[in-house]
């Protein structure tokens, strides 16, 4: 049990120790292509927070459930859990709007305390928003009270233990609030790893990864989180659920797969059993340059279908390649590498790929050789490890950069989807076209590959509309998601649904699946207190 | 659309062309260790079938839904769908008991006809049992009418088309009634394969595999059926469900995983989209002999955890090894091989493993070398391809052999489970001990390996109790399943739940999951007509 450390600074990503700032080469580029403005934020004492609306009797009951030190309702704690970390979340916070902050933060220490808290809230009609690392970029931890008069953030920060490790079966059971880095440290002490590295890695909780069906940057190799979850325990308002960690079973529908991705709308995950692996002796990351995004994409398809994909497999389109190389600057690592290798081969203007292999040295060599042969066959030019290591060094920097861009009055957001290889370029063009109608810069990369298809991860930048920045964002988001749905992409490959994607769930899964999920919701959470408005939109 | 060919002979496995008979060396062995008796079956005209109870008006409605040629209620058709192919099923049929035969067989040709049939049956209160290949060994297609006065078998034999193949994405969409061999033929014409080979391969339907969460003999390499299902369409009495075949998605709980393994209790799968692969240029099967089951099991654990497991990975315990070698006889292939290799190395009495690699020649060589190194490190002696090919030749013969044994008055059945590597031998001993209390011969093999654990597949033989063969079987089944549950095994690794395992579903998944599944059932099938008594026991 910890004291719930690791909450991010209230207005942005990361903690106060982080030194931000745009890379020098970025400023003229952004000025020329987007235009920079003023994105100042209000001071902390100007942030608006509504009065805590929790009835005194309910607060007393919660204190009885988790102890006095487990119920927080000071101003800072409430503001810190007032939102996730999406662009609109940060827009609101920076403007001083934390009106919808939770009325209290409740920190249980175990399953029994979670159960007690849910009992109190179901009886009193108080909405419950499970809160792990608070990293959601889709409104997944927004403390919306729905039809209820009060809402608590159920912060899992004190449930952060590694409960057990079965080294013989390579299985670890953990509490949901453990952060990904803490888990990697604990596993690393035993020579093990989970290998799950979403961009939110530094702050994300494992329970949050499971509840949102997360994928990490190495998931091509290690699997998405649902490929690693073997067992679960969940406290729903009406009943507990336990999914035993069998290696495989034919005993009917998998209720585990109902709880993975359930985003807290059915109940609270209180324990997760995960498949882990031996920690790799070597992590080898390399850059490759393709003549075009389409040539690179073809190489990635073959890699995935021949079982030869690197553990990290990423491919930027021409625009993302151009922007990254330019932003790294004349003195930048990528710039150097690119010029040295690419001018000689006259392929400037191509598509940059990052490939990473992890494992025993011999295995890494053999797998690298096989991948590189396929990459080369599709026109890739090797850029060596310098480019790969530069990517690895900056792999979690995106959210910090977003803060810096918002400081300069830039609208910056990402959205992601996935589809079959056959449909990939149709979807890529359709979404890109829509984004370009609203943005100055639109870039994309393939972040994950599968035998049947791949994900597309778009980043778009525009000068912020100073009058109506939220409306501006909502218009792009709506148009882009409509385009994704119209072209048979999934509404989210790894960000989750939350509140932002909930309006498209009917288009995504259809009436039949929504009816089934609604029935499960009614059974497990009959009062409807769990995470209102998320996922199912109810 | 076919005419629904491929129904098995009414009293046993396979069709009339199959020539059975125990291998010569088996008879003295069985006589000595079990004792042989008389397992004669009644003649076809002595089989008892109740009168077809379908009200004339309902029959007319069904004819309107699927055409006159789509409704069968002749005596042979009803007897052919009166049971699956479990040991108790065959006991009843051979004794002339087809009393519970379905009142009619209805053969829709497409999703719309399935929907029309469900509408008729929901309105009239007629139970519906989806029927694919009829190969269930757990009572999954038992035409139990539950609380209703009539029951139909919804035979999917005329929905057997390959709807589309996306060769670029390696994805095939098929109708549920297509049999596994027909699909392999259709895919093979395009250089593709599904690679799903349960022991029931010759008769099993793909819809049946999906509905029962099947695993095949090559599933260590190709994945269990749930690893290959990307999309689904399902007609439930209340509503249609469609799961889009995205390569991956974070859009909430996976309803697809509710339908995979749903055993027809929610609705009827009418379309399945599957991941397929390039057909292997080479299939290389080899035998290996370990000094003991425990040494072999340790080798398999390392193979699975190092990602080096062959596509087919099987390991018999000492008793199964002894019986197989003896039954193959002095002149038998396995016997020859065993004697030649094993006497020289003085390891007679060990544990026989079969390993199979499939793929491009170079890949097969490389993977084989890596596996063989690990096998050798754990004391395996290579038996070469002759032993492997002997296994491959007989890989679907088990059910025929069962018929032959039943002709001789032998109780023969199999049961299977899975657990973690840590728990494997505890479970193995506990189940084996219980089976030995009831049986003369108890043998076991590991049929599938995973990084976190493995399956155990038991075969047990006893002299049939001529007075009460069903009671005898039920006593063993109950004791063994109780032992599995007590020792944290899953009640089924790949046979499914059906009626036989339904009493243990609460122990398997717990009250919470049962409540969730019950809510889904009530939502999708409010009248409760779908496959009564199976899976959820309602």
């Amino acid at each position: 049990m910890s004291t719930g450390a690791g909450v991010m600074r209230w207005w942005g990503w990361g903690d106060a120790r982080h030194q931000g700032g745009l890379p020098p080469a970025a400023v003229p580029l952004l000025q020329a292509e987007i235009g920079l403005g003023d994105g100042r934020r209000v001071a902390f004492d100007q942030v608006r927070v509504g009065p805590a609306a929790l009835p005194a009797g309910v607060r007393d009951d919660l204190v009885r459930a988790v102890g006095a030190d487990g119920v927080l309702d000071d101003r800072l704690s409430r503001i810190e859990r007032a939102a996730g970390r999406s662009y609109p979340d940060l827009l609101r916070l920076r403007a001083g709007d934390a009106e919808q902050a939770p009325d209290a933060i409740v920190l249980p220490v175990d399953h029994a305390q979670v159960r007690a808290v849910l009992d109190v809230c179901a009886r009193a009609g108080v909405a419950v928003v499970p809160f792990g690392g608070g990293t959601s970029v889709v409104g997944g931890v927004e403390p919306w009270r729905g039809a209820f008069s009060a809402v608590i953030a159920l912060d899992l920060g004190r449930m952060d233990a590694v409960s057990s490790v079965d080294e013989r079966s390579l299985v670890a059971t953990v509490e949901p609030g453990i952060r990904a880095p803490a888990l990697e440290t604990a596993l690393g002490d035993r020579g093990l790893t989970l290998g799950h590295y979403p961009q939110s890695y530094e702050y994300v909780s494992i329970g949050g990864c499971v509840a949102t069906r997360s994928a990490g940057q190495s998931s091509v190799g290690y699997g998405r989180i649902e490929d690693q979850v073997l067992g679960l325990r969940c406290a729903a308002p009406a009943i507990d659920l336990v999914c035993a960690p069998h290696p495989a079973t034919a005993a009917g529908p998998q209720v585990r797969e109902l709880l993975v991705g359930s985003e807290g709308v059915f109940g609270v995950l209180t324990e997760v059993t995960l498949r882990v692996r031996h920690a790799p002796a070597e992590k080898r990351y390399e850059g490759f340059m393709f003549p075009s995004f389409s040539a690179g994409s073809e190489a990635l398809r073959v890699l995935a279908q021949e079982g030869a994909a690197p553990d990290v497999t990423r491919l930027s389109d021409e625009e993302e390649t151009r922007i990254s190389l330019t932003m790294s600057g004349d003195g930048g690592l990528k710039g150097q590498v690119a010029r040295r290798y690419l001018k000689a081969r006259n392929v400037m203007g191509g598509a940059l790929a990052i490939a990473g292999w992890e494992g025993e040295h011999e295995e890494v060599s053999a797998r690298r050789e096989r991948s590189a042969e396929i990459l080369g066959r599709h026109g890739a030019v090797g850029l060596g490890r310098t480019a790969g290591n530069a990517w690895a060094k900056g792999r979690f920097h995106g959210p910090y950069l977003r803060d810096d861009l918002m400081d300069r009055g830039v609208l910056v957001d990402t959205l992601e989807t996935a589809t079959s290889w056959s449909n990939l370029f149709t979807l890529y063009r359709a979404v890109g076209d829509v984004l370009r109608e609203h943005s100055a810069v639109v870039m994309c990369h393939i972040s994950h590959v599968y035998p049947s298809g791949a994900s597309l991860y778009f980043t778009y930048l525009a000068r912020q509309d100073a009058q109506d920045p939220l409306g501006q964002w909502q218009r792009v988001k709506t148009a882009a998601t409509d385009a994704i749905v119209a072209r048979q992409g999934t509404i989210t490959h790894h960000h989750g649904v939350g509140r932002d994607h909930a309006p498209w769930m009917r288009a995504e899964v259809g009436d039949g699946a929504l009816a089934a999920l609604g029935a499960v919701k009614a059974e497990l959470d009959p009062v409807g207190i769990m995470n209102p408005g998320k996922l199912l939109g109810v």
Side-chain angles (χ1 to χ4, degrees), chain A:
Chain A
M1 184 187 123
S2 81
T3 53
V7 177
M8 288 186 274
R9 52 189 171 195
W10 66 269
W11 55 267
W13 191 263
D15 63 37
R17 289 165 303 179
H18 180 77
Q19 297 298 317
L22 291 170
V27 179
L29 173 78
L30 294 165
Q31 187 69 59
E33 304 204 9
I34 299 169
L36 297 176
D38 178 8
R40 274 181 299 186
R41 51 185 186 267
V42 304
F44 179 67
D45 57 11
Q46 292 179 297
V47 176
R48 304 178 302 282
V49 188
L54 203 64
V58 177
R59 193 184 190 288
D60 292 344
D61 288 344
L62 290 170
V63 166
R64 262 189 292 277
V66 300
D69 61 346
V71 179
L72 308 176
D73 47 13
D74 62 285
R75 181 177 150 82
L76 175 59
S77 296
R78 292 180 60 212
I79 292 173
E80 284 174 339
R81 280 84 165 185
R85 286 298 177 266
S86 69
Y87 173 78
D89 286 336
L90 297 183
L91 272 185
R92 278 186 290 258
L93 289 172
R94 294 165 69 105
D97 176 4
E99 299 279 6
Q100 66 169 10
D103 297 302
I105 295 90
V106 180
L107 294 117
V109 299
D110 59 18
H111 179 93
Q113 287 197 357
V114 173
R115 153 90 17 246
V117 171
L118 296 185
D119 289 348
V120 170
C121 291
R123 222 164 34 234
V126 170
V128 176
V129 178
F131 193 98
T135 63
S136 173
V137 290
V138 293
V141 294
E142 198 174 320
W144 197 55
R145 55 202 74 212
F148 304 100
S149 57
V151 57
I152 62 161
L154 188 89
D155 190 314
L156 295 153
R158 299 207 295 187
M159 290 174 66
D160 64 350
V162 175
S163 309
S164 67
V165 178
D166 175 351
E167 296 192 27
R168 188 168 167 73
S169 308
L170 292 181
V171 164
T173 298
V174 305
E175 291 184 318
I178 191 169
R179 304 299 175 93
L183 177 56
E184 283 299 343
T185 300
L187 292 174
D189 290 345
R190 297 163 181 258
L192 302 174
T193 183
L194 177 65
H196 194 70
Y197 300 102
Q199 197 175 49
S200 54
Y201 173 76
E202 295 168 316
Y203 289 88
V204 80
S205 71
I206 296 301
C209 290
V210 174
T212 58
R213 221 166 251 282
S214 162
Q217 292 163 350
S218 310
S219 290
V220 173
Y222 290 84
R224 299 168 57 89
I225 200 74
E226 64 260 36
D227 302 321
Q228 302 185 271
V229 175
L230 292 166
L232 283 177
R233 191 173 184 202
C234 173
I239 198 164
D240 284 340
L241 296 100
V242 180
C243 301
H246 300 306
T249 176
Q254 284 305 286
V255 172
R256 183 186 67 213
E257 295 300 319
L258 271 185
L259 299 176
V260 174
S262 60
E263 300 191 358
V265 306
F266 297 150
V268 182
L269 302 180
T270 58
E271 192 178 88
V272 180
T273 300
L274 298 153
R275 175 188 170 194
V276 297
R277 298 175 191 238
H278 294 296
E282 182 180 354
K283 297 185 178 193
R284 178 170 177 153
Y285 304 118
E286 295 185 28
F288 292 85
M289 188 66 82
F290 283 97
S292 67
F293 188 47
S294 64
S297 150
E298 190 61 14
L300 266 52
R301 180 177 73 87
V302 173
L303 285 172
Q305 294 182 345
E306 294 195 2
D311 300 314
V312 174
T313 304
R314 304 165 67 85
L315 173 70
S316 294
D317 70 358
E318 291 86 352
E319 181 70 347
E320 187 167 282
T321 302
R322 179 182 74 85
I323 299 281
S324 339
L325 293 182
T326 311
M327 277 182 64
S328 70
D330 283 348
L333 197 56
K334 284 189 199 165
Q336 284 178 30
V337 169
R339 276 190 306 282
R340 178 148 42 97
Y341 283 78
L342 304 180
K343 279 200 176 143
R345 289 167 178 80
N346 199 28
V347 292
M348 206 68 179
L352 178 66
I354 300 294
W357 302 266
E358 306 189 357
E360 293 303 304
H361 300 294
E362 204 176 306
E363 185 200 346
V364 164
S365 293
R367 291 180 55 214
R368 183 204 167 276
E369 195 178 335
R370 187 150 176 246
S371 309
E373 188 276 316
I374 293 170
L375 292 166
R377 214 198 301 154
H378 289 84
V381 174
L383 303 180
R385 298 198 201 194
T386 320
N389 292 340
W391 169 80
K393 191 171 168 224
R395 64 193 293 186
F396 307 129
H397 284 185
Y400 296 105
L401 185 59
R402 181 181 54 172
D403 284 343
D404 297 328
L405 289 167
M406 291 183 77
D407 283 342
R408 300 289 193 128
V410 174
L411 159 60
V412 51
D413 200 15
T414 63
L415 49 84
E416 30 83 74
T417 180
T419 193
S420 68
W421 290 110
S422 294
N423 190 47
L424 194 71
F425 272 75
T426 302
L427 182 63
Y428 168 67
R429 281 187 291 264
V431 178
D433 286 349
V434 166
L435 290 175
R436 276 183 290 273
E437 285 173 27
H438 297 81
S439 321
V441 171
V442 176
M443 30 195 200
C444 183
H445 64 263
I446 292 174
S447 65
H448 296 79
V449 297
Y450 304 89
S452 67
S455 65
L456 291 172
Y457 190 96
F458 292 90
T459 303
Y460 56 96
L461 298 101
R463 182 156 186 178
Q464 203 176 87
D465 179 339
Q467 302 313 309
D468 183 19
L470 269 174
Q472 177 193 25
W473 171 82
Q474 187 64 65
R475 283 188 294 278
V476 193
K477 181 74 180 172
T478 300
T481 312
D482 284 346
I484 286 171
V485 164
R487 296 296 188 170
Q488 281 82 52
T490 176
I491 57 173
T492 172
H493 168 266
H494 61 268
H495 283 172
V497 178
R499 283 200 78 182
D500 294 352
H501 293 137
W504 287 272
M505 269 295 275
R506 190 169 300 275
E508 173 82 14
V509 305
D511 291 336
L514 272 193
L517 295 175
V520 173
K521 168 85 174 168
E523 180 73 23
L524 300 181
D525 176 27
V527 184
I529 57 171
M530 292 308 308
N531 216 5
K534 318 303 161 26
L535 185 61
L536 305 175
V538 295

